[in-house]
Amino acid sequence: ESGRNIFSKIDRLRYAPIPIFMDGRAALWEIPLKLLMRNSTSDIEEDLAAEADPIPYESLKNRVDVAFLGLHGKYGEDGCMQGLLELLGIPYTGSGVLASAVGMDKYVSRQILEISGIDVPQTIPVPRPLWDANPDAVIGRIAREIGFPCIVKPCREGCSTAVKKVVAPEGLTGAVAEAFAWDNLVLVEELLTGMEVTCGVLGVDTPEALTPSETIPTDDVLSLEDKFL
């Protein structure tokens, strides 16, 4: 959705946009319009070999002057792609390597905010080895310190990926297992209720905050579908 919006709305009088797709192996492809219009990334991946043009990392600088990033989640928003573009000397939109990495790592970002005197949800980090060694002890600590309902999520993912509201100890095992499918560190945090607000910021030296917007969830937790559709 992000890539389609960027490609369709960018000013053709100033730019000649090229739609570039990153597949599940982090390989880059220049894709035709008919693939860009597909419903999902998995639909696009099915026909990459037949319909798209592979772009080796080292040749990207010869193809583009600037990268307008529309990637989401791990390897796209966490500083990895930003670091690659820095090495290639290609200007890109959005935050730099450090801000991207810290922003995607929810546990690190919370520690920084807390040190700065900003309130954050009470959180218990659960590394995979700790959970594998003694899940009952972890569940007991969560029940004592966080209570229920609570929120379970991967530490370094976006777009509400594997975020679950858990209302009783019996639900923790499944929610933690799903989160571990995405990361080796899972966060269990207190449930915060209230209005969910997004506020974008543009610019570096003179940053400008955009008008805040509220996204209303259709269920207990704001989902990927709520955010994009």
Side-chain angles (χ1 to χ4, degrees):
E1 291 297 320
S2 299
R4 272 199 286 262
N5 274 299
I6 294 164
F7 183 79
S8 65
K9 293 170 182 173
I10 200 164
D11 186 355
R12 260 62 176 185
L13 296 178
R14 299 182 64 188
Y15 304 102
I18 300 170
I20 296 176
F21 178 81
M22 177 188 277
D23 69 18
R25 299 177 300 106
L28 302 180
W29 303 76
E30 182 178 345
I31 59 174
L33 191 59
K34 63 180 179 180
L35 289 192
L36 184 64
M37 294 298 114
R38 292 280 174 88
N39 282 332
S40 68
T41 54
S42 57
D43 290 338
I44 295 174
E45 291 211 36
E46 288 178 2
D47 292 320
L48 285 174
E51 303 281 356
D53 181 20
I55 304 176
Y57 291 155
E58 57 270 21
S59 70
L60 187 61
K61 188 172 176 60
N62 300 324
R63 305 283 287 271
V64 302
D65 299 308
V66 61
F68 195 134
L69 297 178
L71 297 167
H72 292 267
K74 197 180 280 111
Y75 311 126
E77 289 183 286
D78 64 356
C80 290
M81 175 54 69
Q82 290 78 5
L84 173 64
L85 294 171
E86 294 274 0
L87 290 172
L88 294 173
I90 299 172
Y92 56 91
T93 58
S95 300
V97 176
L98 178 60
S100 298
V102 169
M104 183 55 71
D105 191 315
K106 297 172 183 62
Y107 190 53
V108 170
S109 64
R110 267 172 210 180
Q111 289 176 303
I112 293 172
L113 292 170
E114 196 168 24
I115 296 169
S116 303
I118 297 172
D119 288 339
V120 297
Q122 185 179 357
T123 304
I124 293 177
V126 183
R128 188 190 297 271
L130 181 66
W131 177 262
D132 291 342
N134 196 341
D136 290 338
V138 176
I139 292 173
R141 182 187 172 195
I142 292 167
R144 289 191 308 272
E145 298 182 18
I146 302 291
F148 299 93
C150 64
I151 296 293
V152 177
K153 63 180 67 169
C155 180
R156 291 161 295 199
E157 274 298 335
C159 303
S160 299
T161 300
V163 177
K164 296 292 182 185
K165 178 182 176 181
V166 178
V167 299
E170 297 75 28
L172 279 173
T173 300
V176 170
E178 185 174 346
F180 274 137
W182 296 89
D183 204 331
N184 288 319
L185 181 65
V186 168
L187 303 183
V188 181
E189 61 190 38
E190 66 175 310
L191 174 68
L192 300 181
T193 58
M195 181 185 296
E196 178 121 10
V197 174
T198 297
C199 184
V201 179
L202 299 179
V204 179
D205 297 324
T206 55
E208 174 191 1
L210 304 181
T211 302
S213 61
E214 178 187 6
T215 307
I216 301 173
T218 55
D219 207 343
D220 282 336
V221 175
L222 194 66
S223 68
L224 185 148
E225 290 76 19
D226 290 329
K227 291 178 177 180
F228 286 92
L229 302 179

